[in-house]
Amino acid sequence: MTVPFPNPTRVAELMAAEQARYAATHTRSGEAYAQGKSSWLYGAPSHWMRRWIGGWPIYIRDEARPYGVRFGDVDGNDYVDFCLGDTGGMCGHGHPAVVAAMAHQARIGTSLMLPTGDAEWVGQELTRRFGVPYWTLTTSASDANRACIRLARMVTERPRVLVFSGAYHGSVEEAHVELREGAVQMRNNIHHNFFPHDELSRVVEFNDVPALEAALRQGDVACVLAEPAMTNYGMIAPQPGFHEALRRLTRETGTLLVIDETHTISSGAGGYTRLHGLAPDMFVLGKAIAGGIPAAAFGLSQATAERVWQALPPVPPTVRQSAHAGFGGTLAGNALTVAVMRAVLSDVLTEDAFERMLALAERLQRGVNDSIARCGLPWHATRVGARVETLFAPDEPRNATEVRQHRDAGMEALLHLFLMNRGVLITPFHNMMLCCPGTTADDVDRHNAMFDELIEELVK
């Protein structure tokens, strides 16, 4: 029998108790954060670090542990990590192959602006796994997405980038928009930065094929930038036939299709794209592929590469040219990144590792759904590969508007803080959890037990 959504008064009572518990058990982290405000703009090295619920971020204890997903903080608390750096730590913490590759290359040189012997192997492996033949490395998925947009505009001579409402593609200006009540607004109410979104962006709801077709038929979209399954606003799966329609319409309208698999790489060793037979013109990977070192890659199909070469020929090094591609950076493709990338692709994110990760994610999803069903709450857990998310809705959403209808800031904050106070970390920006090669069944069961405890408290 389904019960009503948890009483807001009960949620507020539990939240007050959890905030008091956090303050009492994270005093040294609180002191470090207070000190950090004297030198960091937002109290910590990244402004995102302040977004952990509780009042201040946890400060990590300087203590090496065996490979896995566990670590401690300066207050003596221990954690199981299902956030994993919002996917950047998808290899787990301290994998021996990653550590060895880092140490070996650091003794040779970390940034030389020259290729190493690992580069050929990495390029061939990216092609084997993901199916597009030509690659370039960047230092972040944001950089990779911006490079794809620049190249798409260059070869199509069109201005606009189409994104799906609720999507997140890093710091790409064109993607900082969403639909609210049918109108284009800034995503998360961020500052518009004086970027002309009305001229350079277009946004439609995910899974809305008629709206997608109407937008593309105008003939001014250079590329569609899309996650194959949306993951940042609340996980949203593509409806049957959506990807076929997306690929057909982009081809019919001369629009390039950029698939951003920064998160959906959790689907398998070849990502969602290989698993479901997608055929992007450009393909973006980020975060996970270099063991946590800032890195990303984008690949081009044969036809797209040939169009790019017509506009920007691959001249030999002996020929000086004034043309600049407009993207890159001296740290892109550095020797340390490439060495670690080879270790990750050969020894960490393997086919066998993904098989274990997927099984653990199924166990995680099943445990959450069992707790929800036993207590009769109108929620569910959904999954994309090794990634699981708890959604405060009875059914899977089809788009960002449906996700928004069921968002509950108070309940979301309580879920995060309740788990964190009991040594379980999930992604602070949403309710996502990720299993990695270092995750164990005991780690999953610890999360599920703590989630079950929260549910019991809510429905008392």
Side-chain angles (χ1 to χ4, degrees):
M1 178 179 178
T2 300
V3 301
F5 198 83
N7 188 310
T9 301
R10 179 60 176 159
V11 172
E13 291 172 350
L14 288 172
M15 188 63 185
E18 293 303 319
Q19 286 177 321
R21 177 171 176 166
Y22 187 87
T25 56
H26 296 82
T27 56
R28 294 187 66 185
S29 286
E31 292 166 358
Y33 184 62
Q35 180 63 35
K37 291 181 179 180
S38 66
S39 53
W40 299 112
L41 182 62
Y42 289 102
S46 166
H47 76 93
W48 282 9
M49 293 176 181
R50 68 192 171 105
R51 293 185 61 185
W52 290 90
I53 200 69
W56 54 82
I58 292 166
Y59 278 69
I60 305 304
R61 186 162 71 242
D62 183 11
E63 174 192 38
R65 295 194 176 191
Y67 171 62
V69 296
R70 300 199 177 206
F71 61 83
D73 70 13
V74 295
D75 289 285
N77 305 301
D78 292 320
Y79 301 91
V80 175
D81 188 5
F82 287 97
C83 171
L84 295 171
D86 195 20
T87 308
M90 197 171 99
C91 292
H93 306 315
H95 192 286
V98 171
V99 174
M102 288 181 180
H104 176 76
Q105 188 60 49
R107 286 191 290 267
I108 300 169
T110 57
S111 187
L112 307 166
M113 214 169 72
L114 290 167
T116 65
D118 293 324
E120 181 180 0
W121 187 95
V122 169
Q124 291 176 350
E125 178 65 7
L126 289 172
T127 294
R128 185 191 71 81
R129 285 197 183 209
F130 304 109
V132 293
Y134 297 105
W135 292 84
T136 295
L137 299 187
T138 66
T139 52
S140 72
S142 295
D143 287 343
N145 283 324
R146 282 192 290 264
C148 289
I149 290 170
R150 174 172 282 275
L151 293 174
R153 285 175 170 149
M154 183 176 71
V155 301
T156 65
E157 294 291 334
R158 296 177 178 180
R160 291 187 185 269
V161 176
L162 187 146
V163 296
F164 293 102
S165 184
Y168 178 73
H169 297 286
S171 57
V172 173
E173 292 285 359
E174 290 86 346
H176 285 325
V177 286
E178 65 181 4
L179 291 176
R180 291 201 301 274
E181 298 180 355
V184 177
Q185 306 287 338
M186 297 304 298
R187 190 181 192 277
N188 291 337
N189 295 309
I190 66 173
H191 190 271
H192 52 71
N193 201 34
F194 298 98
F195 186 85
H197 289 97
D198 56 341
E199 299 174 11
L200 299 179
S201 299
R202 187 160 285 144
V203 56
V204 300
E205 291 280 17
F206 198 62
N207 285 315
D208 189 341
V209 174
L212 174 65
E213 180 167 13
L216 294 182
R217 293 293 183 198
Q218 296 182 51
D220 58 355
V221 175
C223 66
V224 172
L225 178 58
E227 292 183 283
M230 291 182 63
T231 62
N232 274 275
Y233 196 75
M235 292 207 301
I236 306 170
Q239 295 290 296
F242 175 71
H243 274 295
E244 291 80 1
L246 173 60
R247 182 66 280 194
R248 174 179 58 81
L249 289 170
T250 49
R251 283 176 173 155
E252 288 178 0
T253 59
T255 309
L256 294 180
L257 175 59
V258 184
I259 294 293
D260 180 357
E261 288 235 33
T262 300
H263 277 174
T264 55
I265 182 63
S266 65
S267 299
Y272 193 103
T273 292
R274 191 175 86 185
L275 184 65
H276 294 275
L278 307 186
D281 299 303
M282 300 181 183
F283 182 90
V284 171
L285 290 167
K287 295 187 178 182
I289 60 173
I293 293 177
F298 67 91
L300 276 62
S301 69
Q302 182 71 41
T304 306
E306 290 175 359
R307 293 179 69 183
V308 168
W309 290 332
Q310 289 177 4
L312 190 66
V315 298
T318 55
V319 177
R320 291 289 181 181
Q321 62 172 352
S322 59
H324 188 284
F327 59 85
T330 55
L331 292 176
N334 68 77
L336 182 65
T337 294
V338 176
V340 176
M341 199 177 295
R342 178 169 185 170
V344 167
L345 295 174
S346 61
D347 297 325
V348 186
L349 297 181
T350 62
E351 300 281 355
D352 289 343
F354 271 101
E355 185 175 340
R356 296 192 302 274
M357 291 159 62
L358 296 176
L360 288 168
E362 289 177 0
R363 183 187 187 108
L364 179 61
Q365 180 190 25
R366 185 168 59 251
V368 171
N369 280 332
D370 285 349
S371 295
I372 290 169
R374 185 170 59 255
C375 293
L377 287 169
W379 301 349
H380 75 284
T382 188
R383 183 172 67 87
V384 175
R387 186 182 304 279
V388 178
E389 181 168 18
T390 303
L391 295 173
F392 304 137
D395 303 309
E396 290 191 359
R398 294 170 297 177
N399 53 50
T401 295
E402 292 185 4
V403 172
R404 191 181 302 114
Q405 291 169 352
H406 296 279
R407 294 292 291 266
D408 186 288
M411 186 61 238
E412 197 166 296
L414 176 60
L415 171 63
H416 286 245
L417 188 55
F418 190 96
L419 293 176
M420 191 156 60
N421 275 337
R422 288 153 184 81
V424 178
L425 297 185
I426 65 176
T427 306
F429 318 121
H430 25 67
N431 301 332
M432 285 203 307
M433 299 153 281
L434 180 62
C435 294
C436 78
T439 307
T440 67
D442 286 344
D443 298 330
V444 169
D445 292 345
R446 179 170 173 178
H447 167 275
N448 288 350
M450 296 304 99
F451 182 85
D452 192 75
E453 183 178 324
L454 171 60
I455 297 297
E456 293 287 349
E457 289 291 332
L458 284 169
V459 299
K460 275 184 179 179

